[in-house]
Amino acid sequence: MRRQIRSIGSVLCTLCIVFASCKDNVQNTYSNYPAYFVCKNVMTVPQLNAAMNSLGVYATIRYDRERFLFTDENGNTTPVNATAIAGNASLQMGIAGFIVGLPNIPELGSSISVPVCYDLACPNCYSSYNISRALQLKEGGYASCTSCNRIYNLNNQGQISSGDGGVSLFRYRINYSGNTVVINNR
């Protein structure tokens, strides 16, 4: 009986050590950086409409001089006056803006794809240098950083697909219903 208790105790101690040693490698699913954005007219912005309704298509959202810039992977941009997008009184654009889209690969445990939102800033450059370096969208659902040369797979939860190791893209909560998209981190 005492041998069984000792062996159970040693197994529990081993498990505690294993779980404690992995703690440094854990990355939360959602970022802690402030984010809040609402667009109630998704269908009026071609890049955003395509990103929210087509598998594997992504668009960026940036805020520049009282207007929002929606850009697709081909560089086509639609500027929208900030006053035309209601609900942004407490606007917070994350670090550098957003990348939004509908992955062509559903997340584990799900049978359908749901919209995702990542920060437009390279997380590894931001973490290393505290400088916001905007990513560039690439065809096929990828985003690249011209500074550190990492390429992130937007269809695979923002993980690094090429380049040095590091962390995945910073992610925010997103809800798309009807004609409205809401991005938040609250």
Side-chain angles (χ1 to χ4, degrees):
M1 180 74 162
R2 287 184 186 200
R3 263 181 35 195
Q4 287 178 333
I5 292 174
R6 278 189 222 152
S7 65
I8 291 172
S10 85
V11 168
L12 289 175
C13 286
T14 304
L15 287 174
C16 288
I17 290 169
V18 168
F19 288 129
S21 67
C22 294
K23 186 177 180 183
D24 292 339
N25 297 331
V26 173
Q27 182 179 350
N28 290 333
T29 301
Y30 297 103
S31 170
N32 290 326
Y33 294 104
Y36 183 74
F37 173 80
V38 177
C39 179
K40 295 183 179 180
N41 300 309
V42 171
M43 286 188 264
T44 62
V45 183
Q47 294 83 355
L48 186 57
N49 189 39
M52 293 291 98
N53 294 295
S54 303
L55 291 174
V57 175
Y58 293 88
T60 63
I61 305 171
R62 292 177 290 129
Y63 186 69
D64 182 44
R65 299 185 194 145
E66 301 301 318
R67 63 189 183 152
F68 294 100
L69 302 174
F70 299 88
T71 306
D72 64 17
E73 64 187 28
N74 297 320
N76 300 316
T77 301
T78 299
V80 177
N81 190 325
T83 58
I85 298 180
N88 288 304
S90 59
L91 174 70
Q92 294 178 314
M93 296 296 291
I95 299 169
F98 304 116
I99 299 173
V100 297
L102 191 60
N104 58 19
I105 303 170
E107 288 191 45
L108 282 175
S110 179
S111 60
I112 60 168
S113 288
V114 294
V116 294
C117 177
Y118 303 106
D119 203 294
L120 188 56
C122 175
N124 293 288
C125 289
Y126 188 76
S127 297
S128 296
Y129 308 112
N130 208 25
I131 296 172
S132 172
R133 294 198 169 108
L135 299 168
Q136 302 296 315
L137 289 181
K138 301 290 180 194
E139 287 186 30
Y142 293 94
S144 67
C145 177
T146 57
S147 179
C148 69
N149 297 318
R150 286 180 178 92
I151 297 176
Y152 299 91
N153 187 340
L154 302 173
N155 290 308
N156 192 14
Q157 301 172 8
Q159 295 183 9
I160 299 170
S161 65
S162 176
D164 294 338
V167 298
S168 300
L169 294 177
F170 296 136
R171 187 170 169 180
Y172 301 108
R173 289 173 181 83
I174 182 169
N175 185 15
Y176 174 57
S177 179
N179 196 26
T180 301
V181 65
V182 177
I183 299 168
N184 72 55
N185 197 27
R186 295 180 180 177

mmCIF file of all heavy atoms in Angstrom, residues 108-155:
data_model
loop_
_atom_site.group_PDB
_atom_site.id
_atom_site.type_symbol
_atom_site.label_atom_id
_atom_site.label_comp_id
_atom_site.label_asym_id
_atom_site.label_seq_id
_atom_site.Cartn_x
_atom_site.Cartn_y
_atom_site.Cartn_z
ATOM 1 N N LEU A 108 -9.257 23.839 -34.577
ATOM 2 C CA LEU A 108 -9.432 22.514 -33.984
ATOM 3 C C LEU A 108 -10.719 22.454 -33.186
ATOM 4 O O LEU A 108 -11.040 23.381 -32.441
ATOM 5 C CB LEU A 108 -8.251 22.180 -33.065
ATOM 6 C CG LEU A 108 -6.976 21.741 -33.759
ATOM 7 C CD1 LEU A 108 -5.859 21.565 -32.736
ATOM 8 C CD2 LEU A 108 -7.182 20.467 -34.534
ATOM 9 N N GLY A 109 -11.452 21.390 -33.352
ATOM 10 C CA GLY A 109 -12.695 21.207 -32.614
ATOM 11 C C GLY A 109 -13.901 21.852 -33.259
ATOM 12 O O GLY A 109 -14.994 21.810 -32.721
ATOM 13 N N SER A 110 -13.706 22.498 -34.407
ATOM 14 C CA SER A 110 -14.809 23.167 -35.086
ATOM 15 C C SER A 110 -14.934 22.599 -36.503
ATOM 16 O O SER A 110 -13.951 22.217 -37.121
ATOM 17 C CB SER A 110 -14.567 24.669 -35.147
ATOM 18 O OG SER A 110 -15.615 25.316 -35.814
ATOM 19 N N SER A 111 -16.150 22.573 -36.995
ATOM 20 C CA SER A 111 -16.353 22.074 -38.359
ATOM 21 C C SER A 111 -16.562 23.206 -39.368
ATOM 22 O O SER A 111 -16.592 22.967 -40.568
ATOM 23 C CB SER A 111 -17.549 21.125 -38.390
ATOM 24 O OG SER A 111 -18.712 21.801 -37.973
ATOM 25 N N ILE A 112 -16.705 24.436 -38.876
ATOM 26 C CA ILE A 112 -16.875 25.583 -39.768
ATOM 27 C C ILE A 112 -15.859 26.670 -39.418
ATOM 28 O O ILE A 112 -15.416 26.783 -38.284
ATOM 29 C CB ILE A 112 -18.303 26.168 -39.702
ATOM 30 C CG1 ILE A 112 -18.627 26.637 -38.285
ATOM 31 C CG2 ILE A 112 -19.329 25.171 -40.176
ATOM 32 C CD1 ILE A 112 -19.880 27.477 -38.184
ATOM 33 N N SER A 113 -15.491 27.449 -40.400
ATOM 34 C CA SER A 113 -14.592 28.577 -40.163
ATOM 35 C C SER A 113 -15.384 29.773 -39.670
ATOM 36 O O SER A 113 -16.489 30.032 -40.150
ATOM 37 C CB SER A 113 -13.859 28.952 -41.449
ATOM 38 O OG SER A 113 -12.895 27.999 -41.770
ATOM 39 N N VAL A 114 -14.811 30.477 -38.736
ATOM 40 C CA VAL A 114 -15.398 31.724 -38.231
ATOM 41 C C VAL A 114 -14.362 32.829 -38.431
ATOM 42 O O VAL A 114 -13.157 32.560 -38.476
ATOM 43 C CB VAL A 114 -15.800 31.605 -36.742
ATOM 44 C CG1 VAL A 114 -16.924 30.605 -36.567
ATOM 45 C CG2 VAL A 114 -14.626 31.221 -35.871
ATOM 46 N N PRO A 115 -14.792 34.080 -38.579
ATOM 47 C CA PRO A 115 -13.846 35.171 -38.806
ATOM 48 C C PRO A 115 -12.793 35.269 -37.697
ATOM 49 O O PRO A 115 -13.065 34.950 -36.538
ATOM 50 C CB PRO A 115 -14.733 36.418 -38.816
ATOM 51 C CG PRO A 115 -16.073 35.915 -39.220
ATOM 52 C CD PRO A 115 -16.181 34.550 -38.602
ATOM 53 N N VAL A 116 -11.612 35.705 -38.097
ATOM 54 C CA VAL A 116 -10.516 35.929 -37.164
ATOM 55 C C VAL A 116 -10.011 37.354 -37.331
ATOM 56 O O VAL A 116 -10.206 37.982 -38.373
ATOM 57 C CB VAL A 116 -9.353 34.933 -37.360
ATOM 58 C CG1 VAL A 116 -9.775 33.516 -37.011
ATOM 59 C CG2 VAL A 116 -8.799 35.004 -38.763
ATOM 60 N N CYS A 117 -9.349 37.850 -36.283
ATOM 61 C CA CYS A 117 -8.760 39.186 -36.319
ATOM 62 C C CYS A 117 -7.401 39.137 -35.642
ATOM 63 O O CYS A 117 -7.273 38.641 -34.524
ATOM 64 C CB CYS A 117 -9.673 40.173 -35.596
ATOM 65 S SG CYS A 117 -8.986 41.845 -35.526
ATOM 66 N N TYR A 118 -6.389 39.634 -36.340
ATOM 67 C CA TYR A 118 -5.032 39.703 -35.809
ATOM 68 C C TYR A 118 -4.588 41.158 -35.817
ATOM 69 O O TYR A 118 -5.095 41.975 -36.572
ATOM 70 C CB TYR A 118 -4.065 38.904 -36.687
ATOM 71 C CG TYR A 118 -4.439 37.464 -36.871
ATOM 72 C CD1 TYR A 118 -4.969 37.024 -38.080
ATOM 73 C CD2 TYR A 118 -4.277 36.538 -35.845
ATOM 74 C CE1 TYR A 118 -5.306 35.690 -38.270
ATOM 75 C CE2 TYR A 118 -4.626 35.209 -36.024
ATOM 76 C CZ TYR A 118 -5.135 34.796 -37.232
ATOM 77 O OH TYR A 118 -5.481 33.480 -37.413
ATOM 78 N N ASP A 119 -3.587 41.469 -34.981
ATOM 79 C CA ASP A 119 -2.999 42.799 -35.022
ATOM 80 C C ASP A 119 -2.153 42.907 -36.272
ATOM 81 O O ASP A 119 -1.524 41.940 -36.708
ATOM 82 C CB ASP A 119 -2.144 43.053 -33.779
ATOM 83 C CG ASP A 119 -1.993 44.535 -33.521
ATOM 84 O OD1 ASP A 119 -1.359 45.227 -34.358
ATOM 85 O OD2 ASP A 119 -2.511 45.014 -32.507
ATOM 86 N N LEU A 120 -2.128 44.081 -36.857
ATOM 87 C CA LEU A 120 -1.352 44.330 -38.066
ATOM 88 C C LEU A 120 0.146 44.426 -37.774
ATOM 89 O O LEU A 120 0.969 44.327 -38.674
ATOM 90 C CB LEU A 120 -1.858 45.608 -38.745
ATOM 91 C CG LEU A 120 -1.328 45.961 -40.120
ATOM 92 C CD1 LEU A 120 -1.561 44.836 -41.113
ATOM 93 C CD2 LEU A 120 -1.984 47.236 -40.625
ATOM 94 N N ALA A 121 0.511 44.577 -36.504
ATOM 95 C CA ALA A 121 1.924 44.685 -36.125
ATOM 96 C C ALA A 121 2.582 43.311 -36.049
ATOM 97 O O ALA A 121 1.963 42.344 -35.608
ATOM 98 C CB ALA A 121 2.058 45.377 -34.772
ATOM 99 N N CYS A 122 3.831 43.228 -36.459
ATOM 100 C CA CYS A 122 4.609 41.996 -36.295
ATOM 101 C C CYS A 122 4.840 41.808 -34.800
ATOM 102 O O CYS A 122 5.463 42.660 -34.154
ATOM 103 C CB CYS A 122 5.941 42.096 -37.028
ATOM 104 S SG CYS A 122 7.021 40.676 -36.742
ATOM 105 N N PRO A 123 4.347 40.715 -34.208
ATOM 106 C CA PRO A 123 4.466 40.536 -32.759
ATOM 107 C C PRO A 123 5.904 40.328 -32.298
ATOM 108 O O PRO A 123 6.267 40.732 -31.188
ATOM 109 C CB PRO A 123 3.622 39.296 -32.487
ATOM 110 C CG PRO A 123 3.652 38.528 -33.759
ATOM 111 C CD PRO A 123 3.688 39.577 -34.847
ATOM 112 N N ASN A 124 6.736 39.732 -33.125
ATOM 113 C CA ASN A 124 8.112 39.470 -32.731
ATOM 114 C C ASN A 124 8.958 40.735 -32.780
ATOM 115 O O ASN A 124 9.767 40.976 -31.887
ATOM 116 C CB ASN A 124 8.700 38.351 -33.596
ATOM 117 C CG ASN A 124 7.998 37.041 -33.298
ATOM 118 O OD1 ASN A 124 8.190 36.452 -32.242
ATOM 119 N ND2 ASN A 124 7.136 36.599 -34.202
ATOM 120 N N CYS A 125 8.777 41.572 -33.786
ATOM 121 C CA CYS A 125 9.472 42.864 -33.830
ATOM 122 C C CYS A 125 8.990 43.769 -32.704
ATOM 123 O O CYS A 125 9.785 44.450 -32.058
ATOM 124 C CB CYS A 125 9.262 43.545 -35.182
ATOM 125 S SG CYS A 125 10.136 42.745 -36.536
ATOM 126 N N TYR A 126 7.683 43.761 -32.445
ATOM 127 C CA TYR A 126 7.136 44.607 -31.387
ATOM 128 C C TYR A 126 7.653 44.167 -30.022
ATOM 129 O O TYR A 126 8.047 44.994 -29.206
ATOM 130 C CB TYR A 126 5.610 44.591 -31.412
ATOM 131 C CG TYR A 126 5.013 45.599 -30.474
ATOM 132 C CD1 TYR A 126 4.997 46.951 -30.799
ATOM 133 C CD2 TYR A 126 4.492 45.215 -29.250
ATOM 134 C CE1 TYR A 126 4.469 47.893 -29.935
ATOM 135 C CE2 TYR A 126 3.955 46.148 -28.379
ATOM 136 C CZ TYR A 126 3.958 47.483 -28.728
ATOM 137 O OH TYR A 126 3.442 48.412 -27.854
ATOM 138 N N SER A 127 7.682 42.866 -29.781
ATOM 139 C CA SER A 127 8.167 42.352 -28.498
ATOM 140 C C SER A 127 9.662 42.605 -28.317
ATOM 141 O O SER A 127 10.120 42.896 -27.215
ATOM 142 C CB SER A 127 7.884 40.850 -28.386
ATOM 143 O OG SER A 127 6.505 40.607 -28.409
ATOM 144 N N SER A 128 10.432 42.499 -29.385
ATOM 145 C CA SER A 128 11.884 42.667 -29.298
ATOM 146 C C SER A 128 12.313 44.122 -29.225
ATOM 147 O O SER A 128 13.216 44.470 -28.472
ATOM 148 C CB SER A 128 12.560 42.022 -30.515
ATOM 149 O OG SER A 128 12.344 40.640 -30.515
ATOM 150 N N TYR A 129 11.682 44.980 -30.032
ATOM 151 C CA TYR A 129 12.147 46.358 -30.162
ATOM 152 C C TYR A 129 11.138 47.406 -29.703
ATOM 153 O O TYR A 129 11.425 48.589 -29.733
ATOM 154 C CB TYR A 129 12.525 46.638 -31.623
ATOM 155 C CG TYR A 129 13.469 45.624 -32.185
ATOM 156 C CD1 TYR A 129 13.063 44.751 -33.187
ATOM 157 C CD2 TYR A 129 14.766 45.504 -31.703
ATOM 158 C CE1 TYR A 129 13.925 43.797 -33.708
ATOM 159 C CE2 TYR A 129 15.632 44.548 -32.211
ATOM 160 C CZ TYR A 129 15.199 43.695 -33.213
ATOM 161 O OH TYR A 129 16.049 42.754 -33.708
ATOM 162 N N ASN A 130 9.931 46.979 -29.343
ATOM 163 C CA ASN A 130 8.857 47.883 -28.931
ATOM 164 C C ASN A 130 8.551 48.918 -30.018
ATOM 165 O O ASN A 130 8.238 50.061 -29.739
ATOM 166 C CB ASN A 130 9.185 48.552 -27.601
ATOM 167 C CG ASN A 130 7.923 48.912 -26.847
ATOM 168 O OD1 ASN A 130 6.877 48.307 -27.050
ATOM 169 N ND2 ASN A 130 8.002 49.892 -25.970
ATOM 170 N N ILE A 131 8.701 48.470 -31.271
ATOM 171 C CA ILE A 131 8.414 49.309 -32.427
ATOM 172 C C ILE A 131 7.360 48.596 -33.260
ATOM 173 O O ILE A 131 7.477 47.407 -33.544
ATOM 174 C CB ILE A 131 9.680 49.549 -33.276
ATOM 175 C CG1 ILE A 131 10.718 50.325 -32.470
ATOM 176 C CG2 ILE A 131 9.341 50.282 -34.562
ATOM 177 C CD1 ILE A 131 12.058 50.445 -33.159
ATOM 178 N N SER A 132 6.347 49.337 -33.681
ATOM 179 C CA SER A 132 5.274 48.759 -34.480
ATOM 180 C C SER A 132 5.696 48.696 -35.939
ATOM 181 O O SER A 132 5.894 49.725 -36.585
ATOM 182 C CB SER A 132 4.017 49.610 -34.335
ATOM 183 O OG SER A 132 3.036 49.177 -35.228
ATOM 184 N N ARG A 133 5.875 47.466 -36.441
ATOM 185 C CA ARG A 133 6.204 47.270 -37.856
ATOM 186 C C ARG A 133 5.030 46.563 -38.507
ATOM 187 O O ARG A 133 4.712 45.427 -38.179
ATOM 188 C CB ARG A 133 7.476 46.442 -37.989
ATOM 189 C CG ARG A 133 8.672 47.211 -37.450
ATOM 190 C CD ARG A 133 9.957 46.625 -37.961
ATOM 191 N NE ARG A 133 11.055 47.514 -37.652
ATOM 192 C CZ ARG A 133 11.968 47.264 -36.726
ATOM 193 N NH1 ARG A 133 11.912 46.174 -36.013
ATOM 194 N NH2 ARG A 133 12.948 48.118 -36.530
ATOM 195 N N ALA A 134 4.371 47.253 -39.423
ATOM 196 C CA ALA A 134 3.163 46.708 -40.049
ATOM 197 C C ALA A 134 3.491 45.568 -40.995
ATOM 198 O O ALA A 134 4.476 45.608 -41.727
ATOM 199 C CB ALA A 134 2.413 47.810 -40.796
ATOM 200 N N LEU A 135 2.645 44.552 -40.962
ATOM 201 C CA LEU A 135 2.777 43.404 -41.838
ATOM 202 C C LEU A 135 2.171 43.712 -43.203
ATOM 203 O O LEU A 135 1.306 44.581 -43.326
ATOM 204 C CB LEU A 135 2.057 42.196 -41.226
ATOM 205 C CG LEU A 135 2.585 41.736 -39.871
ATOM 206 C CD1 LEU A 135 1.620 40.741 -39.238
ATOM 207 C CD2 LEU A 135 3.961 41.123 -40.030
ATOM 208 N N GLN A 136 2.615 42.976 -44.214
ATOM 209 C CA GLN A 136 2.077 43.102 -45.567
ATOM 210 C C GLN A 136 1.312 41.829 -45.902
ATOM 211 O O GLN A 136 1.826 40.724 -45.696
ATOM 212 C CB GLN A 136 3.216 43.278 -46.574
ATOM 213 C CG GLN A 136 4.108 44.469 -46.305
ATOM 214 C CD GLN A 136 3.373 45.774 -46.427
ATOM 215 O OE1 GLN A 136 2.615 45.979 -47.374
ATOM 216 N NE2 GLN A 136 3.568 46.661 -45.475
ATOM 217 N N LEU A 137 0.089 41.967 -46.419
ATOM 218 C CA LEU A 137 -0.677 40.792 -46.834
ATOM 219 C C LEU A 137 -0.066 40.191 -48.087
ATOM 220 O O LEU A 137 0.370 40.908 -48.978
ATOM 221 C CB LEU A 137 -2.132 41.169 -47.112
ATOM 222 C CG LEU A 137 -3.009 41.517 -45.924
ATOM 223 C CD1 LEU A 137 -4.414 41.847 -46.393
ATOM 224 C CD2 LEU A 137 -3.045 40.383 -44.919
ATOM 225 N N LYS A 138 -0.068 38.865 -48.136
ATOM 226 C CA LYS A 138 0.422 38.125 -49.294
ATOM 227 C C LYS A 138 -0.680 37.192 -49.780
ATOM 228 O O LYS A 138 -1.581 36.834 -49.027
ATOM 229 C CB LYS A 138 1.661 37.292 -48.926
ATOM 230 C CG LYS A 138 2.817 38.115 -48.409
ATOM 231 C CD LYS A 138 3.407 38.939 -49.510
ATOM 232 C CE LYS A 138 4.573 39.774 -49.015
ATOM 233 N NZ LYS A 138 4.957 40.791 -49.937
ATOM 234 N N GLU A 139 -0.602 36.774 -51.013
ATOM 235 C CA GLU A 139 -1.598 35.860 -51.568
ATOM 236 C C GLU A 139 -1.601 34.537 -50.820
ATOM 237 O O GLU A 139 -0.581 34.102 -50.299
ATOM 238 C CB GLU A 139 -1.301 35.605 -53.049
ATOM 239 C CG GLU A 139 -1.628 36.776 -53.936
ATOM 240 C CD GLU A 139 -1.450 36.443 -55.401
ATOM 241 O OE1 GLU A 139 -1.635 35.271 -55.777
ATOM 242 O OE2 GLU A 139 -1.130 37.368 -56.160
ATOM 243 N N GLY A 140 -2.756 33.907 -50.774
ATOM 244 C CA GLY A 140 -2.880 32.592 -50.162
ATOM 245 C C GLY A 140 -3.102 32.608 -48.664
ATOM 246 O O GLY A 140 -3.023 31.566 -48.019
ATOM 247 N N GLY A 141 -3.337 33.770 -48.076
ATOM 248 C CA GLY A 141 -3.600 33.836 -46.640
ATOM 249 C C GLY A 141 -2.355 33.953 -45.782
ATOM 250 O O GLY A 141 -2.275 33.345 -44.721
ATOM 251 N N TYR A 142 -1.397 34.751 -46.240
ATOM 252 C CA TYR A 142 -0.166 34.949 -45.485
ATOM 253 C C TYR A 142 0.066 36.438 -45.249
ATOM 254 O O TYR A 142 -0.434 37.285 -45.981
ATOM 255 C CB TYR A 142 1.035 34.369 -46.244
ATOM 256 C CG TYR A 142 0.980 32.866 -46.361
ATOM 257 C CD1 TYR A 142 0.420 32.271 -47.488
ATOM 258 C CD2 TYR A 142 1.473 32.054 -45.356
ATOM 259 C CE1 TYR A 142 0.355 30.898 -47.601
ATOM 260 C CE2 TYR A 142 1.406 30.674 -45.461
ATOM 261 C CZ TYR A 142 0.847 30.095 -46.584
ATOM 262 O OH TYR A 142 0.773 28.737 -46.687
ATOM 263 N N ALA A 143 0.838 36.739 -44.198
ATOM 264 C CA ALA A 143 1.274 38.105 -43.914
ATOM 265 C C ALA A 143 2.764 38.046 -43.635
ATOM 266 O O ALA A 143 3.237 37.127 -42.964
ATOM 267 C CB ALA A 143 0.523 38.677 -42.724
ATOM 268 N N SER A 144 3.506 39.024 -44.150
ATOM 269 C CA SER A 144 4.955 38.997 -43.969
ATOM 270 C C SER A 144 5.460 40.289 -43.348
ATOM 271 O O SER A 144 4.860 41.350 -43.506
ATOM 272 C CB SER A 144 5.651 38.765 -45.315
ATOM 273 O OG SER A 144 5.453 39.870 -46.162
ATOM 274 N N CYS A 145 6.581 40.151 -42.642
ATOM 275 C CA CYS A 145 7.256 41.305 -42.048
ATOM 276 C C CYS A 145 8.529 41.552 -42.839
ATOM 277 O O CYS A 145 9.385 40.665 -42.945
ATOM 278 C CB CYS A 145 7.579 41.032 -40.573
ATOM 279 S SG CYS A 145 8.495 42.396 -39.791
ATOM 280 N N THR A 146 8.668 42.739 -43.386
ATOM 281 C CA THR A 146 9.848 43.058 -44.190
ATOM 282 C C THR A 146 11.078 43.299 -43.319
ATOM 283 O O THR A 146 12.187 43.276 -43.824
ATOM 284 C CB THR A 146 9.591 44.294 -45.081
ATOM 285 O OG1 THR A 146 9.216 45.384 -44.241
ATOM 286 C CG2 THR A 146 8.504 44.020 -46.098
ATOM 287 N N SER A 147 10.875 43.487 -42.026
ATOM 288 C CA SER A 147 12.003 43.741 -41.133
ATOM 289 C C SER A 147 12.672 42.441 -40.659
ATOM 290 O O SER A 147 13.869 42.275 -40.781
ATOM 291 C CB SER A 147 11.537 44.553 -39.926
ATOM 292 O OG SER A 147 12.611 44.773 -39.050
ATOM 293 N N CYS A 148 11.896 41.507 -40.122
ATOM 294 C CA CYS A 148 12.466 40.265 -39.581
ATOM 295 C C CYS A 148 12.329 39.087 -40.548
ATOM 296 O O CYS A 148 12.814 37.995 -40.266
ATOM 297 C CB CYS A 148 11.832 39.917 -38.238
ATOM 298 S SG CYS A 148 10.096 39.418 -38.331
ATOM 299 N N ASN A 149 11.652 39.302 -41.667
ATOM 300 C CA ASN A 149 11.459 38.295 -42.721
ATOM 301 C C ASN A 149 10.643 37.075 -42.297
ATOM 302 O O ASN A 149 10.727 36.029 -42.933
ATOM 303 C CB ASN A 149 12.805 37.845 -43.306
ATOM 304 C CG ASN A 149 13.529 38.987 -43.971
ATOM 305 O OD1 ASN A 149 12.922 39.778 -44.676
ATOM 306 N ND2 ASN A 149 14.819 39.106 -43.723
ATOM 307 N N ARG A 150 9.848 37.205 -41.249
ATOM 308 C CA ARG A 150 8.956 36.110 -40.867
ATOM 309 C C ARG A 150 7.701 36.180 -41.729
ATOM 310 O O ARG A 150 7.244 37.262 -42.090
ATOM 311 C CB ARG A 150 8.565 36.202 -39.401
ATOM 312 C CG ARG A 150 9.661 35.823 -38.431
ATOM 313 C CD ARG A 150 9.154 35.950 -36.989
ATOM 314 N NE ARG A 150 10.142 35.551 -36.026
ATOM 315 C CZ ARG A 150 11.013 36.387 -35.456
ATOM 316 N NH1 ARG A 150 11.015 37.673 -35.772
ATOM 317 N NH2 ARG A 150 11.877 35.929 -34.569
ATOM 318 N N ILE A 151 7.153 35.010 -42.018
ATOM 319 C CA ILE A 151 5.881 34.924 -42.728
ATOM 320 C C ILE A 151 4.906 34.186 -41.828
ATOM 321 O O ILE A 151 5.234 33.128 -41.274
ATOM 322 C CB ILE A 151 6.041 34.200 -44.079
ATOM 323 C CG1 ILE A 151 6.989 35.007 -44.978
ATOM 324 C CG2 ILE A 151 4.686 34.009 -44.751
ATOM 325 C CD1 ILE A 151 7.308 34.356 -46.300
ATOM 326 N N TYR A 152 3.724 34.764 -41.662
ATOM 327 C CA TYR A 152 2.699 34.209 -40.783
ATOM 328 C C TYR A 152 1.561 33.629 -41.620
ATOM 329 O O TYR A 152 1.148 34.230 -42.605
ATOM 330 C CB TYR A 152 2.149 35.297 -39.861
ATOM 331 C CG TYR A 152 3.206 35.908 -38.971
ATOM 332 C CD1 TYR A 152 3.924 37.028 -39.378
ATOM 333 C CD2 TYR A 152 3.495 35.355 -37.727
ATOM 334 C CE1 TYR A 152 4.897 37.585 -38.565
ATOM 335 C CE2 TYR A 152 4.465 35.901 -36.913
ATOM 336 C CZ TYR A 152 5.169 37.019 -37.331
ATOM 337 O OH TYR A 152 6.136 37.566 -36.530
ATOM 338 N N ASN A 153 1.048 32.478 -41.207
ATOM 339 C CA ASN A 153 -0.055 31.824 -41.888
ATOM 340 C C ASN A 153 -1.364 32.260 -41.237
ATOM 341 O O ASN A 153 -1.670 31.846 -40.115
ATOM 342 C CB ASN A 153 0.104 30.304 -41.814
ATOM 343 C CG ASN A 153 -0.906 29.571 -42.650
ATOM 344 O OD1 ASN A 153 -1.952 30.098 -43.014
ATOM 345 N ND2 ASN A 153 -0.602 28.325 -42.965
ATOM 346 N N LEU A 154 -2.126 33.081 -41.933
ATOM 347 C CA LEU A 154 -3.387 33.601 -41.386
ATOM 348 C C LEU A 154 -4.455 32.519 -41.326
ATOM 349 O O LEU A 154 -5.391 32.619 -40.534
ATOM 350 C CB LEU A 154 -3.868 34.775 -42.243
ATOM 351 C CG LEU A 154 -2.877 35.941 -42.369
ATOM 352 C CD1 LEU A 154 -3.391 36.963 -43.376
ATOM 353 C CD2 LEU A 154 -2.616 36.577 -41.030
ATOM 354 N N ASN A 155 -4.338 31.488 -42.143
ATOM 355 C CA ASN A 155 -5.298 30.387 -42.141
ATOM 356 C C ASN A 155 -5.021 29.374 -41.038
ATOM 357 O O ASN A 155 -5.825 28.484 -40.801
ATOM 358 C CB ASN A 155 -5.298 29.671 -43.491
ATOM 359 C CG ASN A 155 -5.893 30.527 -44.572
ATOM 360 O OD1 ASN A 155 -6.990 31.048 -44.431
ATOM 361 N ND2 ASN A 155 -5.160 30.699 -45.659
#
